[in-house]
Amino acid sequence: MTRRTAHWARINESTFAGGMRLMFLIYRKLGRWPFRLTLYPVIAWYVLTKPAARRASAAFLRQVRRADPACGIPSGWSGAMRHFASFGESILDKMTVWGGLFPLDSVKLFGQEHLAAEMAAGRGALLICTHLGNLELCRVMSRRSMPLKMTVLVHTRHAAAFNRLLAQLSPHSTLNLMQVTEMSPATAIILSERVARGEFVVIAGDRIPVAAKPRVAVAPFLGRPAPFPVGPYVLASLLQCPVYLMFSQRTRDGAELHFEPFRERIVLPRKAREQSFAALTADYARRLQYHCLLTPLQWFNFYDFWQMPEADAEPPKVSDESH
């Protein structure tokens, strides 16, 4: 864990809004297969010209094959092409979700009864999500199928162009997002008030925060120790509410959303905080690995996940790239 790499928030994900609009138009007019025919040349160019992202994909797929030798995912360029093509499909899915074109009736919900029970009791909760699958599905489903009031904590300044594009497709895409670089006392108070009103707060558990000295805990993930943020557990201890894990995956017939109970409450003992962080992170990483091995090509962290990023006191630069 001594080697330092670029922080994920500083990594360029060269996708242009104009090109995305064009490919979305192709999908709307001609369907998904013509979209794929235009997608693969773009993916090939990306794999060829972005060696850091290509290496990150190769490292991840290598760990997947070690954890599950029967996964059937090839190595080398063909594996990277499939991985990035899946990412391209996910971008289209996000656009179709907010553009009203995604078949929401095909989304299967698992564990939603837990959230329904919280809502019936007038309680809110913390949902820990991941960059596996499509979080936008949960946001849209919360507005249509599940009457959830959600606040999603994000750092999306590195994806300004894509966020503007989603906002053009639907102004609702920006309504329940809260930009958070560091968790301040004021932000914690606002979130606590929302949870007290029976609302749900969503935070990612698989990306190190954008901070000069991020706090992390290390846990095994796909056979190697990886750093995970402890921020979700600190926030949970402040909110003193139930905590659930949330996973999504694209399927052949549509998509799935899974909600899993994680902790009824999280209490961090003053003299054993690091041990608590280690146990919580290990449990989260175990469930993340389980879902990741179900749909490994839907894992969209294209950076060296197993290494600590470079500490940087300056805020990440804003660029027009998408995720």
Side-chain angles (χ1 to χ4, degrees):
M1 300 299 296
T2 57
R3 182 164 61 88
R4 313 288 279 191
T5 60
H7 198 288
W8 61 263
R10 285 188 174 274
I11 296 175
N12 292 329
E13 300 178 59
S14 302
T15 310
F16 300 97
M20 289 186 290
R21 288 192 187 93
L22 175 60
M23 297 182 75
F24 184 57
L25 179 63
I26 291 173
Y27 168 80
R28 292 189 64 174
K29 298 296 184 181
L30 302 175
R32 188 171 285 267
W33 276 108
F35 163 83
R36 287 171 176 164
L37 291 177
T38 60
L39 173 66
Y40 269 89
V42 176
I43 296 301
W45 173 85
Y46 191 93
V47 172
L48 179 65
T49 61
K50 302 296 178 182
R54 186 176 67 244
R55 287 193 297 268
S57 172
F60 166 74
L61 295 179
R62 185 163 53 248
Q63 293 304 130
V64 168
R65 288 190 294 272
R66 289 175 178 173
D68 181 14
C71 67
I73 298 176
S75 59
W77 281 77
S78 58
M81 285 287 292
R82 288 180 58 183
H83 196 187
F84 283 103
S86 178
F87 177 59
E89 298 265 0
S90 77
I91 292 177
L92 176 63
D93 286 342
K94 292 178 181 181
M95 296 169 70
T96 58
V97 162
W98 287 112
L101 300 176
F102 194 93
L104 295 179
D105 292 341
S106 69
V107 180
K108 297 180 180 180
L109 304 177
F110 298 89
Q112 72 273 23
E113 67 275 8
H114 301 298
L115 305 190
E118 300 293 353
M119 289 188 289
R123 299 189 300 179
L126 180 69
L127 304 178
I128 303 179
C129 68
T130 173
H131 291 81
L132 176 70
N134 187 355
L135 176 61
E136 306 300 323
L137 273 177
C138 183
R139 294 178 58 207
V140 172
M141 293 293 288
S142 72
R143 297 180 57 83
R144 300 188 182 185
S145 301
M146 302 179 294
L148 295 179
K149 292 185 178 180
M150 298 173 57
T151 297
V152 184
L153 306 184
V154 296
H155 177 82
T156 59
R157 293 172 184 170
H158 67 299
F162 187 62
N163 293 321
R164 287 195 298 269
L165 179 56
L166 292 183
Q168 292 171 5
L169 294 173
S170 172
H172 297 301
S173 69
T174 61
L175 289 183
N176 57 356
L177 299 179
M178 178 181 289
Q179 289 282 351
V180 175
T181 300
E182 293 185 354
M183 185 60 61
S184 67
T187 302
I189 291 174
I190 292 173
L191 297 177
S192 180
E193 291 173 347
R194 295 185 182 186
V195 169
R197 294 197 299 265
E199 300 182 18
F200 292 76
V201 174
V202 183
I203 185 172
D206 64 338
R207 281 192 179 175
I208 295 172
V210 182
K213 297 180 180 180
R215 294 195 63 189
V216 302
V218 176
F221 178 64
L222 295 175
R224 291 176 59 189
F228 289 87
V230 301
Y233 316 119
V234 174
L235 179 59
S237 71
L238 296 174
L239 299 180
Q240 282 298 289
C241 64
V243 182
Y244 294 87
L245 305 183
M246 180 172 65
F247 301 96
S248 72
Q249 60 180 346
R250 190 78 157 81
T251 64
R252 188 180 298 272
D253 300 324
E256 295 179 357
L257 285 174
H258 295 258
F259 303 95
E260 301 181 359
F262 187 65
R263 296 289 193 277
E264 180 62 27
R265 293 285 189 279
I266 289 181
V267 178
L268 299 175
R270 182 170 300 179
K271 295 184 179 180
R273 287 172 67 89
E274 299 306 318
Q275 294 92 323
S276 297
F277 287 144
L280 292 163
T281 301
D283 287 348
Y284 171 79
R286 190 177 303 113
R287 296 307 301 162
L288 176 61
Q289 174 171 311
Y290 170 81
H291 285 275
C292 193
L293 289 177
L294 293 177
T295 55
L297 293 178
Q298 296 181 35
W299 168 263
F300 303 132
N301 281 318
F302 293 107
Y303 64 96
D304 195 342
F305 188 81
W306 284 269
Q307 298 297 332
M308 282 290 291
E310 289 285 357
D312 195 339
E314 297 180 0
K317 297 178 181 178
V318 177
S319 59
D320 288 344
E321 291 119 5
S322 75
H323 197 319

